[in-house]
Amino acid sequence: MGYNCDYCGEARSMVYCRSDAAYLCLSCDRNVHSANPLSKRHMRTLVCDTCNSQPALVRCVDEKASLCQNCDWVGHNGANIGASTHSRQTLNCYSGCPSAVELSSIWSFMESCEQGMDSMSIAENSQENSESKTQDSSLPDENKSDWMGSLNIQNANKSHTIYHEVKPLNSSQSKASYSGTKDPEQLVDDGLYDDFTMDEVDMNIENYEELFGVGHNDPKHLFAKDGIDSLFGMKDTTKEPECSNAASVDSLMSCKTEPNPCYTKQHSNLSFSSLTGDSSGGEYQDCGASSVVPMGEPPWCTPGSGSTSVRSDAVLRYKEKKKMRKFEKRVRYATRKARADVRKRVKGRFIKAGEAYDYDPMTETRSF
DNA sequence: ATTTAATCCATTACCACATCAATGC
DNA sequence: CCGCATTGATGTGGTAATGGATTAA
């Protein structure tokens, strides 16, 4: 699983699309996800270089490898203690149809991906490539690797959003903000993204503050009121709507097949791929989401970032609220309940009127 | 350490029929 | 548009059956 592209079956798979549950090479990724606006929304991430089966969560600079949570743990915390000092960078997912150059700008660390990019078959790439390469040359290497946040790029007839953060795990620059030596706006001024317009109203990190009313670079704001629930749009599960029509919040939370709030957010082009408050699989199940990145810390909460206490508080609040949720059966039609409460039964089953019964709810007596 | 049996626990099906909701006239 | 009749679908609770997980031998 995951060695060869699920689409062409020839090239080595490099990205994983959760929506399609498919491992794709870069060329097929671009082809498949440029088909329609919906497919463009699919969130993809790199595939773990070690196991080739799980979405990569971090990039080990020293090993030059993208690793999933498990392989990262095994490689850096398990038997190989000496590798624990390796410098790692967190990886997030992206959507849309980024060109080879744009992928290169965010995956500058990946030499291997350039090979895949070479085979990208979209014709427009060649032109776009030549144009952007000259622009890209103006960007110092340090800015490539330090660039953070997202790009909402609208180019000609296509647009795509890259959800990507590359930041040193052991650095103080752990906030999800632009922390490179150049301000992103300055990059635009430099002509790097001259062809890109930023007027599309997608939910990206730029307008995150506008939508949520708080800065995106401070995890405290994310969990200030309702913890994880606030992110999922679950304001108060105890005040449920009259359950006549729509599914209740509880059912939404517990149902594993229904669309879930987490995913809805993704449809808003906001990546919540690793925003869960708990890294256990059970929590993910409860949330109803099988995240693109199934395990791991939120991007802003990296080891040594000093925000673990904030996260633990948020997780605590989330669990407390989870305990408060009610799962008791609720009666939608009192009249039917009243009727059922007086009906006679045989071994718990309703019987026709007049037939012998072994249980009468009214008298709690048995006829035989 | 492994296998098998026993136990526990949660989930689901079943039943009749009043009621709901949709449809047609 | 409103009211009525018809029809199919739904939901209600206690018990047994079922199956997975856990424990003991």
Side-chain angles (χ1 to χ4, degrees):
Chain A
M1 169 173 78
Y3 285 95
N4 288 332
C5 171
D6 288 340
Y7 193 76
C8 65
E10 298 174 357
R12 179 175 179 258
S13 62
M14 294 199 64
V15 299
Y16 175 73
C17 174
R18 180 195 176 277
S19 301
D20 295 328
Y23 297 85
L24 303 168
C25 63
L26 291 177
S27 177
C28 291
D29 172 50
R30 182 165 166 77
N31 285 333
V32 168
H33 292 104
S34 62
N36 56 62
L38 286 178
S39 62
K40 284 181 180 178
R41 296 179 181 177
H42 290 182
M43 307 299 293
R44 287 100 73 197
T45 186
L46 287 170
V47 178
C48 174
D49 288 333
T50 301
C51 65
N52 282 292
S53 63
Q54 295 294 322
L57 194 66
V58 300
R59 172 75 182 177
C60 178
V61 177
D62 294 325
E63 298 176 13
K64 295 181 179 179
S66 302
L67 304 170
C68 65
Q69 173 92 3
N70 187 48
C71 294
D72 175 47
W73 175 260
V74 171
H76 296 105
N77 299 283
N80 193 3
I81 298 299
S84 60
T85 59
H86 283 183
S87 176
R88 280 115 73 200
Q89 302 170 330
T90 57
L91 298 175
N92 272 358
C93 45
Y94 68 94
S95 67
C97 299
S99 68
V101 169
E102 288 147 9
L103 285 175
S104 176
S105 70
I106 62 173
W107 291 344
S108 57
F109 51 83
M110 278 197 73
E111 298 173 358
S112 57
C113 84
E114 293 174 1
Q115 301 169 359
M117 292 174 192
D118 291 339
S119 63
M120 290 175 78
S121 58
I122 301 296
E124 59 192 7
N125 280 352
S126 56
Q127 181 183 356
E128 187 177 322
N129 226 338
S130 59
E131 289 177 359
S132 303
K133 270 186 178 176
T134 55
Q135 298 165 350
D136 199 40
S137 61
S138 65
L139 180 65
D141 289 340
E142 60 187 84
N143 286 336
K144 289 179 184 175
S145 58
D146 284 345
W147 181 83
M148 289 194 257
S150 70
L151 270 180
N152 186 15
I153 304 168
Q154 193 169 19
N155 189 5
N157 294 329
K158 60 184 178 56
S159 66
H160 56 262
T161 305
I162 303 170
Y163 301 99
H164 178 78
E165 292 175 56
V166 179
K167 53 182 180 286
L169 287 179
N170 297 322
S171 164
S172 59
Q173 302 171 344
S174 58
K175 293 179 179 179
S177 61
Y178 297 102
S179 63
T181 55
K182 283 190 176 181
D183 187 276
E185 293 179 2
Q186 191 179 344
L187 296 180
V188 174
D189 291 340
D190 288 347
L192 176 60
Y193 302 116
D194 279 351
D195 290 343
F196 304 145
T197 59
M198 308 296 286
D199 53 353
E200 183 179 350
V201 190
D202 268 341
M203 185 178 288
N204 53 28
I205 298 199
E206 277 82 5
N207 56 23
Y208 191 100
E209 183 171 346
E210 176 185 336
L211 289 166
F212 284 91
V214 295
H216 61 268
N217 53 354
D218 188 351
K220 285 185 293 186
H221 295 303
L222 289 174
F223 301 105
K225 288 185 177 180
D226 297 314
I228 295 292
D229 288 359
S230 65
L231 285 175
F232 297 163
M234 299 167 187
K235 291 303 296 180
D236 190 350
T237 57
T238 60
K239 294 179 180 177
E240 297 168 4
E242 295 300 319
C243 54
S244 56
N245 44 11
S248 68
V249 174
D250 283 350
S251 64
L252 200 56
M253 290 290 290
S254 59
C255 181
K256 297 177 176 57
T257 56
E258 287 289 321
N260 58 79
C262 317
Y263 211 57
T264 304
K265 292 294 182 184
Q266 286 192 354
H267 281 257
S268 304
N269 269 356
L270 175 64
S271 170
F272 279 91
S273 60
S274 52
L275 287 184
T276 176
D278 195 305
S279 60
S280 70
E283 298 290 6
Y284 275 93
Q285 265 202 333
D286 187 84
C287 175
S290 175
S291 174
V292 172
V293 182
M295 294 178 294
E297 301 284 327
W300 62 79
C301 184
T302 57
S305 65
S307 56
T308 53
S309 61
V310 176
R311 181 182 181 275
S312 61
D313 288 345
V315 171
L316 202 62
R317 285 199 300 272
Y318 168 64
K319 288 184 175 179
E320 288 287 333
K321 198 162 188 173
K322 191 177 171 183
K323 287 178 184 176
M324 299 288 289
R325 293 202 305 257
K326 297 177 180 178
F327 291 95
E328 305 94 60
K329 180 181 179 180
R330 286 175 300 163
V331 178
R332 295 179 60 185
Y333 301 102
T335 55
R336 291 179 176 178
K337 172 177 170 54
R339 178 65 56 181
D341 283 340
V342 300
R343 298 187 67 161
K344 299 176 176 62
R345 313 162 195 266
V346 173
K347 292 184 178 179
R349 297 183 178 185
F350 298 128
I351 59 168
K352 292 181 181 179
E355 290 187 355
Y357 59 91
D358 66 354
Y359 175 64
D360 183 357
M362 298 298 290
T363 61
E364 295 190 3
T365 59
R366 298 179 185 276
S367 60
F368 55 87

